[in-house]
């Protein structure tokens, strides 16, 4: 038995948090130990960085390069403090966002150079590649409506990312389009406009196929990530 690393990607309001919770319960039901994480965050250092990136009153003038480096500082800590040890202990690791988000948000959204961003990511992840990435897709109109509903219901502090304009999120969506169209076999694109139950069942079909034998898919992910890096995110 080997550890399994599954990441969830998608625009704001795509339902990642809900699906991670459902999947964690399903995996625990078949006797596997699960750990659920989020980016940025997941460690004491990472949560401090998350506050700086998203909620701090001092972050309004943050430049794109600072955002990139802080994101990957949090990621580097998460990989070494939590993800690698958990995989070595044969656990299933579920993570709300990983390096694909950096391509969507910092390369496409912010306009940073893809090769420079890749170099930063390489340092942060230290060779740790997901076995499976589940990309939850919703149209930008659905994302906007869900974000608006969440803002009304939430008691959390302001979120710097959700304050971005529609053009920013259109560029992010284009970034995810590029990821979905890539030849990387670890990425599975899922229509998240369907019911929560329908989306969960499709996710479970992908995860169930790996839950006992993730190593083969992991080796395949290691091979295909090189092709994705060469071609870039778009």
């Amino acid at each position: 038995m080997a550890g399994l690393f599954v990441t969830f990607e998608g625009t704001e309001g795509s339902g990642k948090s809900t699906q991670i919770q459902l999947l964690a319960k399903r995996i625990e039901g078949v006797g596997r130990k699960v750990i659920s994480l989020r980016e940025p965050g997941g460690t004491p250092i990472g949560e401090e960085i998350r506050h700086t990136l998203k909620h701090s009153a001092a972050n309004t003038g943050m430049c794109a390069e600072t955002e990139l480096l802080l994101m990957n500082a949090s990621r580097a800590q998460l990989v070494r403090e939590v993800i690698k040890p958990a995989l070595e202990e044969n656990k299933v690791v579920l993570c709300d966002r990983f390096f694909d988000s950096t391509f969507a948000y910092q390369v496409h959204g912010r306009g940073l150079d893809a090769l420079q961003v890749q170099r930063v990511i390489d340092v942060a992840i230290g060779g740790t590649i997901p076995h499976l990435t589940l990309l939850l897709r919703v149209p930008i109109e659905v994302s906007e409506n869900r974000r608006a509903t969440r803002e009304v219901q939430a008691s959390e502090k302001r979120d710097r990312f959700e304050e971005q304009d529609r053009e920013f999120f259109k560029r992010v969506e284009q970034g995810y389009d590029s990821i979905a169209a890539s030849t990387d076999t670890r990425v599975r694109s899922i229509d998240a406009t369907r019911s929560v139950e329908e989306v969960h069942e499709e996710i479970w079909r992908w995860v169930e196929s790996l839950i006992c034998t993730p190593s083969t898919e992991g080796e395949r992910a290691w091979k295909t990530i090189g092709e994705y890096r060469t071609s870039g995110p778009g």
Side-chain angles (χ1 to χ4, degrees):
M1 185 183 295
L4 179 66
F5 184 22
V6 180
T7 57
F8 283 71
E9 294 288 351
T11 55
E12 309 297 326
S14 59
K16 300 186 306 304
S17 298
T18 297
Q19 293 301 332
I20 287 172
Q21 292 174 2
L22 292 172
L23 181 59
K25 290 180 181 178
R26 192 82 173 256
I27 294 171
E28 288 170 348
V30 298
R32 293 294 299 271
K33 293 183 178 180
V34 184
I35 182 168
S36 298
L37 305 168
R38 66 178 182 178
E39 277 205 334
T43 66
I45 291 173
E47 291 300 320
E48 289 287 341
I49 294 173
R50 181 184 181 87
H51 174 75
T52 299
L53 281 164
K54 293 169 72 70
H55 309 306
S56 172
N59 68 18
T60 55
M62 185 181 296
C63 69
E65 289 81 2
T66 298
E67 181 179 281
L68 169 69
L69 294 170
L70 285 174
M71 281 286 187
N72 281 280
S74 174
R75 181 172 295 143
Q77 189 69 28
L78 184 64
V79 166
R80 289 155 182 82
E81 183 177 335
V82 182
I83 296 175
K84 281 186 175 181
L87 294 175
E88 290 169 358
E89 294 170 1
N90 300 323
K91 294 178 181 178
V92 178
V93 178
L94 308 180
C95 194
D96 186 342
R97 302 197 182 283
F98 202 54
F99 59 72
D100 292 294
S101 283
T102 300
F103 281 109
Y105 280 78
Q106 279 75 55
V107 174
H108 287 267
R110 303 296 189 200
L112 295 178
D113 179 77
L115 291 179
Q116 290 184 344
V117 168
Q118 184 62 65
R119 294 187 189 103
V120 175
I121 290 174
D122 286 342
V123 173
I125 66 175
T128 302
I129 308 295
H131 297 99
L132 174 66
T133 296
L134 299 163
L135 176 54
L136 305 187
R137 309 303 309 277
V138 295
I140 192 167
E141 295 80 10
V142 173
S143 174
E144 288 173 337
N145 290 336
R146 290 181 179 179
R147 280 189 285 124
T149 301
R150 187 165 61 191
E151 287 171 6
V152 171
Q153 297 174 344
S155 59
E156 196 177 48
K157 301 175 183 177
R158 59 172 281 273
D159 188 319
R160 174 173 158 272
F161 285 93
E162 295 196 4
E163 293 173 352
Q164 304 304 302
D165 61 22
R166 194 177 206 218
E167 291 306 310
F168 173 82
F169 285 108
K170 282 183 178 180
R171 295 193 298 272
V172 170
E173 182 66 20
Q174 290 168 359
Y176 279 124
D177 287 343
S178 296
I179 292 168
S182 75
T183 58
D184 194 337
T185 57
R186 71 180 168 83
V187 179
R188 304 299 178 184
S189 186
I190 295 173
D191 176 6
T193 63
R194 296 170 297 167
S195 71
V196 170
E197 294 76 15
E198 288 175 311
V199 174
H200 170 65
E201 288 303 324
E202 181 175 352
I203 287 172
W204 177 243
R205 287 194 294 273
W206 287 116
V207 174
E208 187 180 27
S209 68
L210 298 178
I211 202 74
C212 296
T213 56
S215 57
T216 301
E217 288 297 319
E219 290 169 2
R220 185 181 302 167
W222 278 75
K223 293 175 182 177
T224 57
I225 193 65
E227 182 177 351
Y228 180 70
R229 286 175 177 164
T230 301
S231 62

